[in-house]
Amino acid sequence: MPKNITKAKHRFPLRQIRHLPVTFRRYWPIILLLIITLSLAFLNYEPGTFLIGWDNLSSELAPAINLKRALFSVWEEYQSLGLLGGIGHAADLPRVFVLYLFSLIPGLPVSLFRYLSTFFPLVLGPIGTYLFLYHRLFKNKLDSRTSQSASFLGGLFYLLNLATMQTFFTPFESFVYFYGAFPFLLYFLTGYLESPRFFSLIVIFLLSFFSSPSFYIETIFVVFCLLLIPIFIDTLLSQKNKIASLKKIAASLFSITVPNLFWLLPVIFFVITNGQVGVQAKINLVTSPETYLRNLQFGNLLDIALLKGFFFNFLDLSGLGKFDYLLSVWRTHLAIPFIGIIGFLLFAIVIVGCYYSITKKFSWTKSLFGILVTCLFFLLGGGLIINTALPLAGELFRSPFTKFSTPLSFTYACFFSIGTVFLLDLFTFLHNRFTYPLTLFTVSLLLVVFMSPAFSGNFIDSNMRLTLPQEYLDLFSYLHTQDSATRIANFPQYTFWGWNYYDWGYRGSGFLWYGIKQPILDRAFDVWDRSSEKYYEEVSSAIFSNNQTEFEKIIDKYAINWVLLDKHVISPDGKTDLG
């Protein structure tokens, strides 16, 4: 007898399918943001290449070794002659631990590790912005459809703007992770301040710990705390019970600070005992004023309106062996009049949003204005006041664009979102069911067109997607079998700059020590220890005077066991004697 296929357990799941449109209507902004972000990541990925160069943390070259270093980071034995860690090395612990877990997965290419760890915060940033806008800024102020549409466009703006591009063009973990963490930190922090619950404090505590890679450059933690002040002031002034407000502020500060003490305390110890070393280092004496002046060149309203920074005038060695603008593709793109008009049109929506936020009295807009003013103060040159009064603090803020561009782009995204609410309100008189789709499509298209080079592989510099020569992997494997209590002197040492160029395309502060367990006397560490700088002065003097006897004395003096000659290192001008 044939089975009755009409029985409930055999029926086609019509009920589940009917729920799919409801689910999509609820979560379509997050789904679309994921699709766009993952597409952007895919279009900027080259299989088989390493994402390497500039100020990179290439911990994927030996995850186990670098995990141990992150755990015991107060004293950096592997750096030069051994030195106190001057930056938040331990802060990278969560990221390195994930890389270590990646290394345990059979068949997963090592070259893929850093791509994954870089694209992860890229995906998170727009989603965090959407959640902040939908659940905080527009909460109980707009209907669901308007809130979703405006929040989606705000998240898309946070992804597709020039500040984000400059953050990821030469990705450095600290800046990249701050991009992904900042919206979520504000989302959960403001949620606790609105409705204080113990569970929310636990979430903030855990999120603060896992966001710690953002603070590898400890200045970013200072920036983050500075930007919390407007939020706390807004909370204090907007509530009648000041004691309760102060308790909430104190509890949230506790949940943010305590999980970061594992890297913050060593940094404080370094500042107290060795703080002047970085300021007085030869490299910083030359580069700090120059870097700050480069930032000031773009400290004007027109460039800040478009979120342009000093990278637009930065020269780099091109694939043709000549120096050209690092962002030459983007300079050409923005030089098109139509693209420039789109850029300023998008900024006009931000300005409209600033005005509309006041008239509509959206939540947390006072805090956003406070963050905006703080960012503009430093980007327009306000740091000069601090530099004059406190030279050490001035050294921390020598490159304000890299520190404040992400919070600034976040405030732009929020006000841009409010500006699109104004557009939707403006067009509602049409009473047309296509008003929302057309507004969404038009504004999204403007963002995509303005940032179109990003979708053709120019979101990340092509010179950072490189094939690592097999010789380096063989070197790492060999040195893993050798005594870790030996020291390496790498050559050539033709310049005091901790920045080298290689014939296979690499340019940056170095990567060798991430793949080996032995200490190495590299110029990248000179800024943290005077003894390391003194070694360079002595060894370069011996090399360029052809004094072999003196060279051998230096080898003995600094207990050097290995001499590593890297023939891939080149002089960028092709003329300098490498020794």
Side-chain angles (χ1 to χ4, degrees):
M1 182 176 177
K3 292 183 179 180
N4 183 5
I5 62 172
T6 62
K7 288 182 178 180
K9 65 179 181 179
H10 294 294
R11 287 174 186 166
F12 194 72
L14 290 175
R15 181 177 298 176
Q16 287 84 346
I17 291 178
R18 288 194 201 102
H19 287 317
L20 287 179
V22 177
T23 303
F24 181 76
R25 282 200 300 270
R26 183 177 299 175
Y27 298 110
W28 69 263
I30 293 178
I31 295 170
L32 280 184
L33 286 173
L34 275 172
I35 292 172
I36 295 170
T37 309
L38 291 174
S39 299
L40 184 62
F42 176 77
L43 293 170
N44 284 271
Y45 167 65
E46 291 185 27
T49 63
F50 282 80
L51 184 58
I52 189 169
W54 280 67
D55 286 322
N56 49 227
L57 299 181
S58 298
S59 308
E60 72 277 6
L61 297 177
I65 291 173
N66 290 296
L67 178 60
K68 183 178 179 181
R69 288 172 178 170
L71 285 168
F72 304 98
S73 62
V74 177
W75 180 258
E76 301 293 342
E77 182 64 28
Y78 70 96
Q79 294 189 11
S80 195
L81 301 168
L83 48 84
L84 276 175
I87 50 180
H89 295 282
D92 203 34
L93 179 61
R95 189 189 71 90
V96 179
F97 180 70
V98 172
L99 293 179
Y100 174 71
L101 294 180
F102 284 166
S103 70
L104 301 179
I105 301 175
L108 188 65
V110 176
S111 60
L112 185 61
F113 290 8
R114 192 164 182 246
Y115 277 108
L116 291 174
S117 68
T118 299
F119 290 142
F120 177 64
L122 177 68
V123 171
L124 287 182
I127 294 174
T129 304
Y130 170 82
L131 293 174
F132 176 82
L133 290 166
Y134 185 79
H135 292 287
R136 300 290 179 262
L137 207 66
F138 299 138
K139 184 180 179 181
N140 302 325
K141 291 288 185 179
L142 303 170
D143 62 274
S144 178
R145 189 183 187 189
T146 305
S147 293
Q148 280 187 320
S149 300
S151 299
F152 165 76
L153 291 172
L156 190 62
F157 183 95
Y158 189 63
L159 173 68
L160 300 179
N161 66 77
L162 293 180
T164 301
M165 179 275 294
Q166 290 166 92
T167 297
F168 283 86
F169 197 76
T170 55
F172 181 50
E173 280 66 14
S174 194
F175 305 136
V176 164
Y177 273 76
F178 189 51
Y179 170 85
F182 186 71
F184 275 99
L185 287 167
L186 293 195
Y187 169 65
F188 285 106
L189 175 65
T190 52
Y192 171 75
L193 294 174
E194 285 179 353
S195 179
R197 293 181 300 166
F198 182 73
F199 177 75
S200 300
L201 281 180
I202 298 298
V203 172
I204 294 172
F205 187 96
L206 293 174
L207 181 61
S208 296
F209 173 76
F210 288 110
S211 300
S212 64
S214 307
F215 311 127
Y216 183 91
I217 301 297
E218 66 274 15
T219 320
I220 297 183
F221 187 71
V222 177
V223 169
F224 177 60
C225 291
L226 189 65
L227 298 177
L228 291 181
I229 294 175
I231 296 175
F232 292 149
I233 292 176
D234 190 6
T235 301
L236 194 61
L237 295 179
S238 62
Q239 298 182 13
K240 294 181 180 180
N241 191 336
K242 306 301 181 187
I243 301 298
S245 297
L246 288 173
K247 286 181 179 179
K248 287 191 295 184
I249 291 170
S252 58
L253 271 176
F254 178 88
S255 295
I256 289 170
T257 306
V258 171
N260 284 292
L261 289 179
F262 74 100
W263 65 264
L264 187 57
L265 290 178
V267 169
I268 293 173
F269 179 73
F270 174 85
V271 172
I272 294 172
T273 59
N274 263 17
Q276 291 299 319
V277 172
V279 178
Q280 296 170 357
K282 184 177 180 180
I283 294 175
N284 285 342
L285 287 174
V286 176
T287 59
S288 292
E290 180 186 347
T291 301
Y292 194 73
L293 290 173
R294 285 178 181 271
N295 276 263
L296 283 183
Q297 186 179 4
F298 286 84
N300 59 78
L301 293 177
L302 289 179
D303 288 325
I304 289 176
L306 297 180
L307 296 172
K308 289 173 64 177
F310 67 96
F311 266 17
F312 274 89
N313 275 1
F314 199 92
L315 296 177
D316 189 34
L317 192 66
S318 69
L320 300 175
K322 296 180 180 180
F323 278 90
D324 194 6
Y325 288 109
L326 174 67
L327 298 177
S328 58
V329 172
W330 286 95
R331 287 173 62 94
T332 302
H333 176 67
L334 294 177
I336 301 172
F338 176 66
I339 299 300
I341 292 171
I342 292 178
F344 286 109
L345 182 60
L346 295 172
F347 179 68
I349 297 176
V350 174
I351 296 298
V352 170
C354 290
Y355 166 75
Y356 212 50
S357 67
I358 298 172
T359 59
K360 285 288 186 177
K361 297 181 179 180
F362 291 112
S363 303
W364 299 108
T365 51
K366 293 177 183 177
S367 300
L368 291 173
F369 272 112
I371 295 172
L372 177 65
V373 170
T374 304
C375 293
L376 291 177
F377 170 79
F378 283 95
L379 290 173
L380 290 172
L384 283 173
I385 301 171
I386 299 175
N387 291 5
T388 304
L390 299 168
L392 180 59
E395 176 66 24
L396 296 176
F397 293 105
R398 65 176 184 165
S399 184
F401 185 82
T402 56
K403 314 298 190 304
F404 290 95
S405 58
T406 290
L408 181 64
S409 68
F410 177 79
T411 59
Y412 274 27
C414 292
F415 288 121
F416 181 83
S417 180
I418 297 172
T420 59
V421 172
F422 171 80
L423 294 179
L424 291 169
D425 287 348
L426 189 66
F427 295 138
T428 50
F429 74 91
L430 296 174
H431 300 293
N432 192 309
R433 62 194 179 97
F434 295 113
T435 298
Y436 276 80
L438 281 175
T439 304
L440 278 171
F441 175 77
T442 304
V443 177
S444 299
L445 182 63
L446 288 175
L447 287 167
V448 171
V449 170
F450 183 65
M451 294 296 294
S452 56
F455 294 92
S456 58
N458 289 290
F459 191 69
I460 293 179
D461 187 6
S462 60
N463 289 323
M464 291 195 65
R465 305 192 293 261
L466 302 170
T467 302
L468 186 65
Q470 184 62 37
E471 298 112 292
Y472 293 102
L473 300 177
D474 294 340
L475 172 69
F476 300 154
S477 298
Y478 174 73
L479 288 176
H480 286 174
T481 65
Q482 303 302 306
D483 186 2
S484 61
T486 53
R487 180 171 289 120
I488 300 171
N490 58 320
F491 294 92
Q493 297 282 356
Y494 70 97
T495 176
F496 70 89
W497 299 108
W499 198 267
N500 283 322
Y501 295 85
Y502 291 70
D503 58 10
W504 47 277
Y506 178 91
R507 75 287 315 284
S509 57
F511 64 94
L512 291 176
W513 51 90
Y514 292 106
I516 61 178
K517 56 185 178 180
Q518 292 81 4
I520 184 169
L521 288 155
D522 193 272
R523 303 285 58 74
F525 311 130
D526 289 358
V527 296
W528 307 116
D529 186 70
R530 173 59 187 147
S531 298
S532 181
E533 197 173 59
K534 192 172 185 299
Y535 157 77
Y536 167 73
E537 293 169 356
E538 294 177 11
V539 77
S540 62
S541 176
I543 290 173
F544 287 101
S545 63
N546 292 316
N547 192 333
Q548 183 175 345
T549 304
E550 185 62 26
F551 179 80
E552 292 174 354
K553 287 181 180 178
I554 293 169
I555 296 294
D556 292 334
K557 176 181 177 181
Y558 291 98
I560 295 169
N561 306 93
W562 304 88
V563 173
L564 174 62
L565 178 61
D566 192 339
K567 293 185 178 180
H568 288 292
V569 176
I570 61 172
S571 167
D573 60 12
K575 301 175 183 178
T576 303
D577 182 6
L578 300 184

